[in-house]
Every structure is written in structure tokens, then in C-alpha cells.
């Protein structure tokens, strides 16, 4: 165990895959401050003896649950010191970025399989996406403003989700969960896909290079993509200029996928009626960012995925993948070591 994990969940992994020896020492990892706090208490410090013991533990493993100290430099040190290492599961869905930051050579990337928790957070993030689109459709900013002023205006029409077309940008684990929920609520669901594989609840598949073409025909953009060189600012000026006026945007993928300056311009001129954002280009979101005070923006501090069940779900995913690993089968959620997602 390279990161903190409750003893009962360590035992759960052992019960679900008895062939796996789970080596852990809870005194060598920082205590969690809340659910899924994999980095743990920042005030935690190891003594020199404890650091040597921790290094020896991770350097002797064939498999690591978590990136050591959730730190790219620590991962690079462990990979160099441990020729036995064959598989690392990152506890973050976007753990590929930390693997990339470690600067591992191709031999190491070919030797070690890296997997993520991608898909584990799909349900919670999909709920936030539905919440954000409904907040836009029902005019949450207007309702709050009127309530704050104790103003009873003339009745006005709210939009209905079952009359909207929702474009899910990215139909991976999170996107598929979003599509399923929006479809269940009666929306017409389109989705972008590079593979072209059918996804439950998705009426129409869109190639990523068709975004500008289809943008005028959708009422909401739900972004679920990982942050890579290929996805950076995919939702940029061209897409936001093409959207149907009054569209809603939400992002539960990575902040780099949306060009925030272009989004602000689209919000200011009314093309985008509302944006519910859980992720941002820079995190924490700087206090000077105009997004904080924008009247049609809801800021969530990258917390929509957090759940009291997250650690258990990730432990169960690890145990499932451990069985696959020991049986010589393909693992789930393998990091692409070219694009690192």
C-alpha cells in the first residue's frame, strides 16, 4: 500500500483476491483528513527510519496500490529502484497525468502497466452534470437573485429537460453514465466518440471533429474528457461561437478541455446561458478569476466526485484488476502511455 487505505478495505482486497499479499504499514502513510484523501495530512512527516522503511516497502512490491505519496518524483524514484514492479494502480481517475509528470523512459513504461480508477466516479459526476444542466434549464441564477431581493416577478417559462438535446463530449466511463441518466430523464442524447461504438442511451454518435458542425443543434454541452494534448481547448472559441444561443455548459472531466477565456466571452454575450463547472484550467481557481463572481456560473471546487463510498469502490476495482493481473488477463482502465489518460 503506497497510500493510506483503511484496514478493513485492505482486508476486503485480501478476501476478494486471496492470492494477493497486501503489505501495509499504516504508521508509514499520512492519515486521511476525509473521504479519499489519498495524499493525507500535509503535516505528516516520516522520520529518517520511517522513510527508509516506506521506501523498502514500495521498492519490494510487484504491484502498488497508489502512486507513492501521490507524487511524480516519488514514483520515478520507486520505478528506478524496483525492477520487480509490474503494475501500479493510481487512485485518481486522471492519474495518467502524474505518470506523465514522472518522466519515465519507454522501457519503464513498457515494463509497468498503469491503471486508474476511471469509471469508479462515473455515477457521482453524472449526477453533478444532471444537476448543472437542470440548474441552467430552470434558471437557478435568476431564482436566487429574485429570492435574495425578496422579489416576486411575473411568471416565466423554464426549460424542460425532455425537450433538450444534450451533447456528451466524451463517452468513456463518466460520459456513459451521463448519457444513461440524461436519457432516463427524457433528453435527446448525442455523444462524441472516436471509436464509433454504440453507447446505451445515445441516439447519435458524433466524431470529435464534427463539434462545430453540431453545436448549433444542441441545448447543453456536457464535457467529460480527460486532459491531454489532443483535448486541450477542444471546447474553444469556434465551438462556443457556434452553439445555439442560451446553451448550458458543464464540465466534469478536466479543466483544460474548455478554453475559459472563450467561455467567459460566450457567457458575457449570452451565447452560453449558464455554466456549472467542477474543474478548471488552474486549480485551485485563482481568487482573481472572473468565474467566481460571474452571475451565470456555478463553481464547484473539484469536489463532485467525492463520496464516502469512493475508497471502497476503488479497493474493489483494485481487487478485480488484481484477479485479472494474476490470471494474465487485460486490466481495466489502463493508462495510454502516449497520451497519458
Amino acid at each position: 500500500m503506497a497510500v493510506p487505505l483503511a484496514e478493513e478495505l485492505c482486508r476486503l482486497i485480501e478476501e476478494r483476491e486471496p492470492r494477493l499479499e497486501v503489505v501495509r504499514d499504516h504508521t508509514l502513510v499520512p492519515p486521511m483528513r476525509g473521504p479519499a484523501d489519498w495524499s493525507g495530512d500535509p503535516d505528516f512527516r516520516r522520520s529518517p527510519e520511517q522513510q527508509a522503511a516506506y521506501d523498502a516497502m514500495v521498492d519490494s512490491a510487484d504491484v502498488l496500490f497508489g502512486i507513492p505519496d501521490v507524487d511524480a518524483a516519488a514514483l520515478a524514484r520507486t520505478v528506478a529502484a524496483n525492477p520487480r514492479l509490474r503494475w501500479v494502480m493510481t487512485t485518481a481517475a486522471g492519474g495518467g497525468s502524474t505518470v506523465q509528470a514522472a518522466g519515465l523512459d519507454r522501457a519503464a513504461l513498457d515494463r509497468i502497466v498503469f491503471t486508474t480508477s476511471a469509471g469508479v466516479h462515473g455515477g457521482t459526476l453524472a449526477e453533478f452534470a444532471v444537476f448543472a444542466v437542470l440548474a441552467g434549464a430552470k434558471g437557478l441564477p435568476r431564482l436566487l437573485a429574485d429570492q435574495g431581493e425578496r422579489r416576486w416577478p411575473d411568471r416565466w417559462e423554464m426549460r424542460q429537460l425532455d425537450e433538450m438535446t444534450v451533447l456528451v463530449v466524451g463517452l468513456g466511463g463518466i460520459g456513459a453514465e451521463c448519457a444513461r441518466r440524461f436519457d432516463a430523464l427524457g433528453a435527446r442524447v448525442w455523444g462524441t466518440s472516436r471509436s464509433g461504438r454504440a453507447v446505451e442511451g445515445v441516439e447519435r454518435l458524433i466524431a470529435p471533429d464534427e463539434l462545430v458542425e453540431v453545436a448549433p443543434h444542441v441545448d447543453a454541452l456536457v464535457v467529460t474528457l480527460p486532459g491531454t494534448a489532443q483535448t486541450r481547448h477542444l471546447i474553444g472559441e469556434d465551438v462556443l461561437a457556434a452553439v445555439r444561443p442560451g446553451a448550458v455548459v458543464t464540465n466534469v472531466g478536466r479543466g483544460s478541455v474548455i478554453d475559459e477565456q472563450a467561455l467567459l466571452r460566450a457567457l458575457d454575450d449570452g451565447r452560453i446561458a449558464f455554466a456549472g463547472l467542477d474543474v478548471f484550467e488552474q486549480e485551485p481557481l485563482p481568487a482573481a478569476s472572473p468565474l467566481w463572481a460571474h452571475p451565470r456560473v456555478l463553481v464547484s471546487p473539484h469536489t463532485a466526485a467525492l463520496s464516502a463510498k469512493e475508497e471502497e469502490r476503488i479497493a474493489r476495482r483494485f481487487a478485480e484488476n488484481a484477479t485479472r493481473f494474476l490470471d494474465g488477463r487485460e486490466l481495466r482502465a489502463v493508462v495510454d502511455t502516449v497520451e497519458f489518460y
Side-chain angles (χ1 to χ4, degrees), residues 137-209:
K138 303 305 181 185
L140 179 62
R142 181 173 180 176
L143 290 170
L144 292 175
D146 286 343
Q147 182 175 341
E149 296 293 329
R150 299 175 183 265
R151 179 174 54 241
W152 187 275
D154 292 337
R155 297 174 69 197
W156 49 277
E157 183 180 0
M158 296 179 179
R159 300 165 76 184
Q160 294 180 229
L161 195 54
D162 64 2
E163 295 177 353
M164 297 175 68
T165 298
V166 176
L167 175 61
V168 180
V169 185
L171 288 172
I174 299 169
E177 289 293 328
C178 289
R180 186 166 66 85
R181 283 163 171 76
F182 281 109
D183 176 63
L185 290 169
R188 174 183 295 109
V189 182
W190 297 352
T192 66
S193 170
R194 291 195 297 182
S195 70
R197 289 192 297 268
V199 174
E200 180 185 357
V202 178
E203 177 183 297
R204 177 182 174 186
L205 292 175
I206 309 295
D209 59 7

Side-chain angles (χ1 to χ4, degrees), residues 30-31 33 37 39-45:
R33 296 160 296 172
D37 180 24
S39 298
D41 186 345
D43 293 330
F44 174 82
R45 296 290 183 274

Side-chain angles (χ1 to χ4, degrees), residues 125-136:
L125 290 172
E127 285 190 8
F128 180 86
V130 171
F131 163 67
V133 172
L134 281 171

Side-chain angles (χ1 to χ4, degrees), residues 234-246:
L234 182 67
I235 307 301
E237 191 72 54
D238 53 349
V239 174
L240 295 171
V243 296
R244 179 182 293 170

Side-chain angles (χ1 to χ4, degrees), residues 29-115:
V29 292
M32 288 184 172
R33 296 160 296 172
D37 180 24
W38 305 109
S39 298
D41 186 345
D43 293 330
F44 174 82
R45 296 290 183 274
R46 299 186 187 98
S47 69
E49 294 76 19
Q50 286 178 316
Q51 187 63 51
Y54 176 80
D55 290 345
M57 181 174 67
V58 297
D59 291 353
S60 65
D62 300 289
V63 172
L64 288 178
F65 178 93
I67 290 175
D69 291 331
V70 198
D71 179 75
L75 174 62
R77 190 211 64 77
T78 301
V79 168
N82 184 357
R84 294 176 49 183
L85 190 59
R86 291 294 180 269
W87 168 36
V88 176
M89 177 171 175
T90 75
T91 50
S97 61
T98 307
V99 177
Q100 183 179 30
L104 305 177
D105 61 24
R106 178 45 55 185
L109 293 172
D110 289 343
R111 168 169 63 98
I112 303 165
V113 177
F114 295 91
T115 64

